[in-house]
Amino acid sequence: QPIVAACSMPYCKGCSHGLVVRALGAALERTGLPREQLCLVSDIGCVGLIDRLFPTVHTVHTTHGRSTAFATGIAMADGVLFDGGLKIVVVIGDGGATIGLLHLVAAAQLNVDVTVIVHNNHLYGMTGGQASGLTPEDWITATTPVGNPLPPLDMIGVLRSSGATFLAREMAMDRGLADRIGEAIAHPGFAVVEVMELCTAFG
């Protein structure tokens, strides 16, 4: 049975979240690990619709911005109570990444064996296209009608300075996205892949 469910993607037409889902599915397949050793931790927002697309792996749907903290706890408990063989992947959007920024920093400092995929579509898509901490300067959004006055956070730079040991930035349509996600999952420590996307509804 394919790891990604054979169903239509629950996203807006043209949304590149579907590309990321398929790349993640391919990367998880390539690990060769039993499904019970795979754990997907999701945040709130459009990215949180991913849970039902992976029916054969463990999924944990968390509170907003807290997915990395949940995943860190799962990884640490797995190392203490079991053999530490669980492969944990977090999927977050702009909200999970910025509201939960200190959770990402702490996970990087701990160098916990967790992979985080940041779906960076530069705004809050599910709630109407408001500006986020990752919105480019001068972008017009629902909450910045004359353009965003603030520069976006450099998520990779912040996490590099926090000690993250694997960092990558890819476009959602990059052919090597599944390979890069696979490298992040295989990395024995904290890994982040920031995937640059556009919200077709608001961006």
Side-chain angles (χ1 to χ4, degrees), residues 32-89:
L33 292 171
R35 305 284 168 90
E36 62 269 17
Q37 283 184 242
L38 304 174
C39 180
L40 190 61
V41 182
S42 63
D43 210 277
I44 302 299
C46 299
V47 74
L49 300 172
I50 200 171
D51 299 350
R52 70 180 182 89
L53 301 175
F54 288 84
T56 62
V57 306
H58 299 294
T59 56
V60 182
H61 191 75
T62 72
T63 50
H64 202 15
R66 308 296 179 248
S67 50
T68 305
F70 275 87
T72 299
I74 292 167
M76 294 175 79
D78 183 49
V80 171
L81 301 174
F82 302 102
D83 63 359
L86 200 61
K87 279 295 178 182
I88 304 159
V89 178

Side-chain angles (χ1 to χ4, degrees), residues 142-166:
T143 51
T144 57
V146 295
N148 181 31
L150 302 174
L153 286 172
D154 176 3
M155 189 60 60
I156 296 295
V158 169
L159 296 176
R160 179 180 292 114
S161 69
S162 302
T165 52
F166 182 102

Side-chain angles (χ1 to χ4, degrees), residues 106-125:
Q109 290 175 323
L110 289 166
N111 197 29
V112 66
D113 191 8
V114 167
T115 299
V116 178
I117 301 174
V118 180
H119 295 61
N120 182 0
N121 58 15
H122 314 294
L123 46 71
Y124 299 137

